[in-house]
Amino acid sequence: MMIARQSLRSVRTLMIAFAALTALASAPASALEGTTTQGQIAPTPIAVPVFVSDDPKLGADVAGVIAADLGNSGLFAILDPASYLEKIADVNAPPNFVNWRQIRADGLVVGKVTRAPDGRLTSEFRLWDVVNGKQKAGQRFTTTAQNWRRIGHLIADQVYEQLTGEKGYFDTRVVYVDETGPKDHRTKRLAIMDQDGAPSSIRLLTQGKELVLTPRFNPVAQEIAFMAYQGDKVKVYVMNLETGQRQQVGDFQGETFAPRFSPDGQRLLMSVSGGADTSIFEVDLKSRQSRRLTQTAGLDTSPCYAPDSRQIVFESDREGTQQLYVMNADGTGVRRLSTGDGRYSTPVWSPRGDYIAFTKQQGGRFLIGVMRPDGTGERILSEGFHGEGPTWAPNGRVLMFFREGQGANAGPAIRSVDVTGYNERTIPTPAFASDPAWSPLLN
């Protein structure tokens, strides 16, 4: 079934179907109003012509970023520019809607980008509802020439929000572990990139002189937490992304690992090993005071706050196998969350609070899944060789994770999938890549 062509309201209907699928797709097909086929979401056709500009390459590049962002979401089908019947010369003049209807476009994004004498770029765009012949949105953005790709991401976010009713997630970054070298002697460096993996956006944060793992973004500041080996010891550090300066968190006797910021960025959860046991601690980043939240025989790790900071999900082998547990933020009220077969790990709470993502190992398979915060509604989104480490987009609609390749020369790659299990794709990186962590929306 194709989406009914009744203006760009069809995209909102699409998002109703999307929401229904995230509720375990339990509604009958007729309730989705013809927006899905065998569980797949039918994308809405949209045209993104080259932006008007004195620099034709710049105009084409900005339009290309917008088209790629929207197309990669899986919710939009970008029409072939070779099919366009009209060249946009004035972004303030209404287009000839007949020309765009003939190529079956539901939406049209037009724009202009100019370069000021000081090098700054200004871009404006218009989003048109082709079927009804009305403007849906329009806005102007300014940025530096070096940061020109951000204009495309900002416009794509606006288009996504206007057509879906959901916040976009394109103006974001991902920090991850860049891996190079032979499989038995990998050099691992922290790196950061735009969410689409554009090569020009990639920047190395460490130089490979130490083993680094599990980077995590501060939700409200330009800094990350990560663990690094210093000799034979592993410690947690916080790094300022603008200055590159780092500081060790806490002065614990045991090893510290698995860091995660609180939603307000003021506290840090992490695991501290002590003999045969490992417990979860919370550290106040201003006072540097710490408190112990768990104290049982076994390994408690991978803690993650709920969006309201009232609860913490974590993994533990306290009952013999790795399972997921939830406790109050002060460490009281611990209860088991996972109930299925297999071992569960790396839980992370959705920014919307509606799901907890996890890694699951069962019968030799590695699965990426989600469940509700009460442990019900478990769904598997992706299955493959050694996939793990989910991280949420700031709108709570898309996940990234990493998966190992198979073979002597294979390595990990970052992949994304939406919360319905649809539109799984690989995020391109110049080298092997693991441990992704999604940033909040940039300011």
Side-chain angles (χ1 to χ4, degrees):
M1 289 181 287
M2 296 298 292
I3 296 178
R5 292 177 52 80
Q6 296 178 354
S7 85
L8 291 175
R9 287 179 300 177
S10 61
V11 186
R12 289 191 180 274
T13 304
L14 184 71
M15 291 307 294
I16 293 172
F18 189 87
L21 283 172
T22 64
L24 303 185
S26 58
S30 59
L32 301 182
E33 299 185 13
T35 59
T36 63
T37 301
Q38 296 179 347
Q40 292 192 349
I41 300 174
T44 293
I46 191 167
V48 187
V50 170
F51 274 29
V52 177
S53 179
D54 291 336
D55 182 346
K57 183 179 185 304
L58 177 62
D61 287 345
V62 170
V65 170
I66 299 167
D69 281 347
L70 296 174
N72 287 341
S73 75
L75 297 178
F76 303 94
I78 308 302
L79 297 173
D80 184 354
S83 69
Y84 298 172
L85 302 177
E86 179 181 4
K87 182 177 180 180
I88 301 299
D90 183 357
V91 299
N92 296 311
N96 186 331
F97 293 109
V98 172
N99 288 335
W100 300 101
R101 290 172 189 145
Q102 285 185 16
I103 64 171
R104 301 185 64 79
D106 276 2
L108 172 64
V109 181
V110 301
K112 178 180 180 180
V113 58
T114 58
R115 193 188 308 270
D118 64 359
R120 293 183 66 81
L121 302 178
T122 299
S123 182
E124 55 183 308
F125 83 99
R126 302 284 185 274
L127 169 62
W128 296 95
D129 177 342
V130 172
V131 177
N132 285 331
K134 295 180 179 180
Q135 181 175 312
K136 293 282 292 182
Q139 199 166 339
R140 177 176 294 180
F141 299 100
T142 301
T143 187
T144 61
Q146 294 83 0
N147 206 17
W148 67 267
R149 299 188 78 255
R150 193 179 180 200
I151 287 179
H153 294 319
L154 287 166
I155 293 174
D157 276 340
Q158 290 296 310
V159 172
Y160 184 97
E161 183 172 356
Q162 285 292 324
L163 299 186
T164 68
E166 300 275 354
K167 282 286 187 182
Y169 58 90
F170 306 119
D171 187 32
T172 57
R173 297 186 293 176
V174 173
V175 64
Y176 68 99
V177 176
D178 171 274
E179 301 191 21
T180 57
K183 198 166 188 175
D184 59 350
H185 191 65
R186 288 269 165 82
T187 296
K188 296 189 176 186
R189 301 173 292 184
L190 293 180
I192 192 169
M193 64 181 178
D194 287 358
Q195 52 77 32
D196 58 358
S200 63
S201 72
I202 296 175
R203 177 167 61 97
L204 293 174
L205 303 175
T206 62
Q207 301 306 312
K209 297 178 181 179
E210 60 194 341
L211 178 62
V212 290
L213 297 168
T214 63
R216 300 290 182 258
F217 262 102
N218 186 325
V220 297
Q222 290 300 302
E223 62 182 17
I224 59 171
F226 63 98
M227 55 177 282
Y229 280 86
Q230 296 288 342
D232 59 349
K233 299 291 185 181
V234 60
K235 298 293 181 182
V236 168
Y237 297 85
V238 170
M239 174 188 288
N240 184 300
L241 290 174
E242 295 178 355
T243 66
Q245 299 210 342
R246 68 168 74 176
Q247 187 173 16
Q248 182 178 318
V249 179
D251 186 19
F252 297 94
Q253 292 299 314
E255 295 186 334
T256 56
F257 55 97
R260 181 84 66 173
F261 285 98
S262 62
D264 63 5
Q266 299 301 307
R267 291 156 291 149
L268 196 71
L269 290 173
M270 60 185 182
S271 292
V272 180
S273 65
D277 302 331
T278 297
S279 301
I280 294 172
F281 281 72
E282 180 186 68
V283 178
D284 185 294
L285 293 174
K286 287 186 176 180
S287 68
R288 296 292 166 171
Q289 295 297 308
S290 65
R291 63 172 177 166
R292 187 172 187 168
L293 301 181
T294 67
Q295 189 168 358
T296 60
L299 175 66
D300 295 342
T301 189
S302 299
C304 179
Y305 289 97
D308 62 6
S309 297
R310 294 180 180 178
Q311 297 183 87
I312 294 169
V313 63
F314 64 101
E315 69 175 83
S316 176
D317 63 358
R318 61 181 61 193
E319 296 182 41
T321 61
Q322 285 175 289
Q323 300 295 330
L324 303 187
Y325 295 81
V326 170
M327 63 183 174
N328 298 327
D330 61 0
T332 63
V334 177
R335 61 183 176 85
R336 181 166 162 174
L337 189 67
S338 54
T339 58
D341 296 333
R343 294 182 294 161
Y344 294 77
S345 60
T346 65
V348 56
W349 222 301
S350 165
R352 302 165 66 97
D354 53 352
Y355 285 106
I356 292 170
F358 56 85
T359 302
K360 181 177 181 178
Q361 297 178 54
Q362 182 181 16
R365 299 180 300 159
F366 285 81
L367 313 169
I368 302 295
V370 294
M371 65 175 66
R372 296 192 184 101
D374 63 1
T376 64
E378 179 177 319
R379 280 187 299 124
I380 301 304
L381 306 182
S382 180
E383 176 181 345
F385 179 73
H386 202 173
E388 62 179 302
T391 180
W392 290 95
N395 70 351
R397 290 302 192 190
V398 182
L399 286 160
M400 282 188 188
F401 59 97
F402 71 99
R403 175 176 293 149
E404 287 279 352
Q406 293 180 283
N409 299 316
I414 297 174
R415 298 183 66 80
S416 68
V417 64
D418 72 34
V419 75
T420 68
Y422 170 73
N423 193 38
E424 183 173 331
R425 52 185 294 270
T426 298
I427 307 301
T429 54
F432 297 137
S434 62
D435 276 339
W438 219 315
S439 80
L441 284 170
L442 300 175
N443 295 321

